[in-house]
Amino acid sequence: MLFKNIGLIDENFEYRENMYVGTNCHRIVYIDSKPPENEEAFFETYDGKGKVLMPAFYNAHGHSPMSLMRGYGENLPLHRWLNERIFPFEDKLYSEGVYWATMLTMAESIRFGIVSTTDMYYFTDDMVRAVVHSGVKTNISRAVTNFGTPVSESQSLKEAAQAIEMYYGFEDGRILVDASAHAEYTNDFEMLKAIADMAKHYDVRTHIHLSETKSEHENCIEKYGKTPAEVFLEAGMFDVPCTAAHCVWVEDNDIDIFRKKGVTVVSNPCSNMKLASGMCYVPPLYDKGINVAIGTDSVASNNSLNFFEEIKFYRKGHFDGCFHHDSAAGAEKRHQSRSSLTGT
């Protein structure tokens, strides 16, 4: 296919007008201000006058099959939302339902310019099938939870390993598979170590939820005497490249861990606002040189996959002063809370 007379935003974010862009299968093969010599070889020519081509979006955190749950758990904070609405619904999910729900999410993603999602869920076979049929890309993971189930008896851990073996690099590299621990509070420490060992064995990324809510963060400190980031570090979860979603309630030492271990933090502003979790405060992360990406989370905790809206709230919340964050006072309060919980 050949696009002609079209605007182009290049890799330097510079606008170039009246460009020619040629594609062959799934590759861009020609970019210039002049038409190619073999213009007639392109199967179709598209006049892009008044339109623009730009790099696509990569959604760094999502749960694609949850399109079935859009609007299902309104006006609840995260833990009530999960335990009263989402987990009971998910107990009733089945293969074909997950396939079509993922297809719906892929269609909505493409509508908003998203071509790849770092996805965490289960029914991995059906999700992969949908991604393949939709033509987009994914970093997919079978989220592991154990709630006390021994590592040796964990079916979800076995399915996670099978997904890596079956699908990593599938479809000419469009499908990559990560190792995922849903969260610290949904797994015991032995399971976290097992997931980390699996990731290191297969040399793949890890994908986790981390310090999304104040209660999650403080309950972890009460349980271990450590923050979720410190627990994941001890378990080995950061020994491979890691995508850590949310990071709303992290502390200074957590940020230092992210920097030393090369963790990618994913801010999900719309989802965090909807579930009243707070917002990931990114300026200190930038100051330490930490890679920060943007995610939508699921439409059940967001309502849409409008990535332009996500970028808008990310920008407004963190750099234009619309959301106040008293970092020094907040850190002191968290330190006092941690000291009282651990007796230090």
Side-chain angles (χ1 to χ4, degrees), residues 86-94 122:
I86 301 304
F87 287 160
F89 189 107
E90 289 177 333
D91 283 341
K92 301 180 184 300
L93 286 177
Y94 60 98
Y122 56 121

Side-chain angles (χ1 to χ4, degrees), residues 8 14 30 48 73 78 83 104 107 151 167 181 199 213 219 222 226-227 232 252 254 272 280 290 306 338:
L8 174 68
E14 295 179 356
Y30 184 84
L78 176 68
N83 292 299
L104 179 62
V151 169
Y167 296 121
T213 65
N219 288 343
E222 185 174 14
K226 300 174 182 178
T227 67
F232 282 126
D252 289 344
D254 300 334
N272 291 154
C280 174
I290 293 166
N306 186 334
R338 181 173 181 177

Side-chain angles (χ1 to χ4, degrees), residues 115-148:
V115 296
S116 182
T117 300
T118 297
D119 228 327
M120 176 197 294
Y121 214 64
Y122 56 121
F123 289 93
T124 311
D125 295 342
D126 304 292
M127 293 181 67
V128 168
R129 184 161 54 105
V131 171
V132 169
H133 291 168
S134 69
V136 298
K137 298 182 284 187
T138 189
N139 272 63
I140 203 166
S141 57
R142 200 297 184 203
V144 176
T145 60
N146 76 323
F147 297 105

Side-chain angles (χ1 to χ4, degrees), residues 16 42 76 202 206 261:
R16 300 157 67 183
F42 289 91
L76 295 173
Y202 289 109
T206 52
K261 303 301 288 188

Side-chain angles (χ1 to χ4, degrees), residues 266-320:
V266 184
S267 174
N268 302 265
C270 291
S271 174
N272 291 154
M273 286 191 293
K274 175 170 178 168
L275 296 177
S277 300
M279 288 186 72
C280 174
Y281 189 55
V282 301
L285 304 176
Y286 282 128
D287 291 344
K288 292 291 182 73
I290 293 166
N291 187 46
V292 182
I294 299 175
T296 62
D297 215 324
S298 76
V299 296
S301 64
N302 186 318
N303 288 5
S304 85
L305 299 176
N306 186 334
F307 217 75
F308 289 97
E309 183 178 71
E310 211 71 46
I311 293 168
K312 177 182 72 176
F313 279 106
Y314 179 87
R315 172 71 188 182
K316 288 288 184 183
H318 301 312
F319 302 107
D320 291 351

